[in-house]
Amino acid sequence: MNIGIDKISFYTSHYYVDLKTLAEARSVDADKYYVGIGQEKMGIPAPDEDVVTLGGSAAYPLMKDGELDDVELLLFATESGIDQSKSAGIYVHGLLEMSSRCRSVELKQACYSGTAGIQMAIGFVARNPTKKALVICSDIARYELGSPGEATQGCGSVAILISANPRIMAIDPESGYYTEDVMDFWRPNYRSEALVDGKYSTMVYIHALLESWKQYAELSGRALTDFDRFCYHIPFTKMAEKAHKKLCRKCKVETSAEQMQLLLDESLRYSRKTGNCYSGSMYVGLTSLLDTADEDLANKRVGLYSYGSGCVGEFFSGVVQPGYREHLYTDQHRNMLENRSELTYQQYEDIYNYGVPTDGGEYVFPQYKTGPFRFSGISQHKREYESLVD
Ligand code: CAA
């Protein structure tokens, strides 16, 4: 029985900063961002967006299409959680009016937790083949103003439905994974911005990739040349390109610039415009590949590398299913990305410095442009959400 991705829907905030605006404010050549790290824009969440509204908005099209009726497992992957106790997934479960016969839990391991969720969901469906699991990866990437990581900020969420006989991608059973206790990127509970040892983090990312690949190759017997496309975790698009070059060198596979473009480029298009979405990044890349590839990818094998600082890496793969295009939300994604509003530098800094109140007072937040749900206020230390749809 094949198990894998039955539906995939992506959502990002309505607001963005063009990196030329940031470059000007930081007195940096814009090409350092556009070319050097390969990013054009960073998605900025409005004050009334958080990981719940982002995640709910990503999953909303599935709900509207009646795709959540058989879901009995909801896994919410995030490293920008809103509560130390309650899963953000339960708020989304409520907003989407899902059945109460459902297990719900939040997962954390930096940008890797979405992939942990996918693998757990596959295990669940193997045991309950008539049921489905919903994995929501939702994050806001936030670094200190003026820090090297600032230009890689972003936000977004991906909702992924896992089922038997999937309509979009069957996930292969083989997987290579690697854990090591390192401090390349972390966020203590008392901080709202991540701390990162930037250059070191890029080295650990590559090391975990090579180790994960080695195991995957041993288990599957596949070579690098057996893949038609690759999707990497994308903290910034240049990182994915560098990672693939390193892997090719390790495997002694010659790859021309044209081949690199064919293998990777489609998967990087959305991330260039949204910035890092942490747990969702690789799945934003997969959505981008499926939505924007001119070639019909049916029966093509895609290599997938997920990385979460701290660190865990996993290399796995999937085969795109015939007819997959009929089940994508391509037009919705395109419209969303084309209709965002650009922020000035001052607007960006004002939103950045807007802090969610922590004094236990009563607050109603002003309404910005969001998706179907918004974070409308706080009352008695409880977050309140508003549905903007019937
Ligand atoms: N034109 C073109 N290119 C230029 C340029 C210009 N005018 N100026 C600089 N560049 C190039 C540089 O040569 C460099 O290229 P190479 O990497 O190929 O040498 C590139 O732009 C970046 O320049 P710097 O190395 O000087 O950049 P930096 O040190 O200021 O910041 C970074 C880079 C450390 C990665 C920083 O973006 C950062 O800290 N990011 C956050 C951490 C991160 O994303 N790590 C990735 C691995 S960890 C992970 O994946 C988990 C996660 O999601 C966070």
Side-chain angles (χ1 to χ4, degrees):
M1 177 176 65
N2 279 335
I3 304 178
I5 299 176
D6 196 43
K7 295 290 263 184
I8 185 162
S9 165
F10 148 64
Y11 175 81
T12 187
S13 64
H14 180 73
Y15 302 97
Y16 72 89
V17 173
D18 194 300
L19 289 182
K20 69 173 180 309
T21 306
L22 184 68
E24 207 178 298
R26 300 285 173 256
S27 304
V28 165
D29 180 354
D31 275 348
K32 173 171 177 182
Y33 300 151
Y34 285 172
V35 181
I37 62 168
Q39 292 298 122
E40 284 168 33
K41 294 172 180 170
M42 52 186 195
I44 303 294
D48 58 348
E49 288 267 34
D50 66 6
V51 290
V52 168
T53 63
L54 293 169
S57 299
Y60 178 70
L62 276 63
M63 183 203 93
K64 245 182 24 181
D65 291 349
E67 298 285 354
L68 302 183
D69 297 350
D70 295 321
V71 170
E72 289 199 1
L73 176 65
L74 170 52
L75 298 172
F76 195 100
T78 188
E79 58 178 301
S80 20
I82 48 142
D83 194 287
Q84 291 286 36
S85 176
K86 178 170 171 171
S87 164
I90 296 184
Y91 292 95
V92 173
H93 179 278
L95 290 171
L96 297 177
E97 298 174 3
M98 292 173 68
S99 161
S100 55
R101 183 172 164 81
C102 185
R103 294 183 181 130
S104 310
V105 74
E106 185 169 307
L107 304 173
K108 178 176 68 188
Q109 181 9 66
C111 309
Y112 168 73
S113 57
T115 295
I118 297 286
Q119 298 293 6
M120 289 175 188
I122 289 171
F124 171 80
V125 172
R127 192 147 190 174
N128 304 277
T130 61
K131 299 299 171 196
K132 297 186 180 184
L134 178 64
V135 180
I136 297 179
C137 311
S138 190
D139 266 308
I140 296 168
R142 185 176 154 96
Y143 298 92
E144 278 181 4
L145 292 178
S147 69
E150 184 183 23
T152 69
Q153 294 177 123
C155 67
S157 179
V158 186
I160 304 155
L161 195 62
I162 299 292
S163 75
N165 307 314
R167 289 170 283 182
I168 293 180
M169 174 178 270
I171 301 290
D172 292 319
E174 305 86 1
S175 210
Y177 33 88
Y178 176 83
T179 290
E180 186 183 347
D181 184 0
V182 291
M183 292 301 279
D184 60 331
F185 168 108
W186 65 104
R187 184 168 68 82
N189 284 346
Y190 50 83
R191 286 182 63 99
S192 65
E193 306 85 23
L195 293 164
V196 61
D197 188 342
K199 297 283 179 206
Y200 177 56
S201 71
T202 63
M203 287 159 56
V204 188
Y205 174 118
I206 301 277
H207 179 69
L209 165 64
L210 300 182
E211 292 295 323
S212 306
W213 164 259
K214 198 165 84 187
Q215 277 181 24
Y216 173 90
E218 278 168 17
L219 288 168
S220 68
R222 292 187 192 107
L224 219 48
T225 45
D226 291 330
F227 295 87
D228 301 287
R229 296 288 192 283
F230 290 86
C231 289
Y232 285 85
H233 169 57
I234 313 170
F236 48 94
T237 64
K238 207 50 177 290
M239 183 74 233
E241 291 171 7
K242 283 186 175 189
H244 192 66
K245 279 187 191 150
K246 289 269 186 200
L247 188 56
C248 289
R249 206 169 305 145
K250 180 82 180 172
C251 297
K252 299 187 173 53
V253 172
E254 293 273 332
T255 314
S256 65
E258 292 72 35
Q259 282 167 320
M260 274 288 289
Q261 192 171 352
L262 175 72
L263 292 168
L264 285 191
D265 192 58
E266 295 134 341
S267 73
L268 306 180
R269 290 175 182 165
Y270 286 175
S271 291
R272 235 185 277 279
K273 299 188 172 94
T274 62
N276 197 350
C277 302
Y278 287 163
S279 60
S281 280
M282 193 195 76
Y283 299 96
V284 173
L286 177 60
T287 311
S288 175
L289 166 65
L290 296 166
D291 281 354
T292 69
D294 288 334
E295 186 187 352
D296 184 351
L297 297 176
N299 299 313
K300 305 278 184 199
R301 178 164 272 113
V302 182
L304 302 158
Y305 175 62
S306 180
Y307 174 75
S309 291
C311 73
V312 182
E314 178 159 349
F315 192 99
F316 61 117
S317 57
V319 176
V320 181
Q321 297 300 288
Y324 72 99
R325 279 180 165 144
E326 289 162 40
H327 304 289
L328 299 174
Y329 292 105
T330 308
D331 290 344
Q332 254 166 269
H333 298 151
R334 189 181 302 123
N335 288 340
M336 175 181 66
L337 288 171
E338 281 173 3
N339 291 304
R340 294 185 298 167
S341 299
E342 183 173 353
L343 299 175
T344 62
Y345 178 79
Q346 194 52 52
Q347 288 170 323
Y348 155 62
E349 210 179 271
D350 290 347
I351 290 182
Y352 183 96
N353 287 325
Y354 177 92
V356 174
T358 54
D359 60 3
E362 301 289 304
Y363 293 94
V364 176
F365 299 149
Q367 186 164 351
Y368 290 75
K369 186 105 177 42
T370 63
F373 308 112
R374 73 179 210 98
F375 172 29
S376 56
I378 298 186
S379 175
Q380 298 178 340
H381 292 286
K382 296 172 193 160
R383 285 193 176 225
E384 296 188 334
Y385 293 95
E386 184 182 351
S387 175
L388 304 171
V389 285
D390 298 330

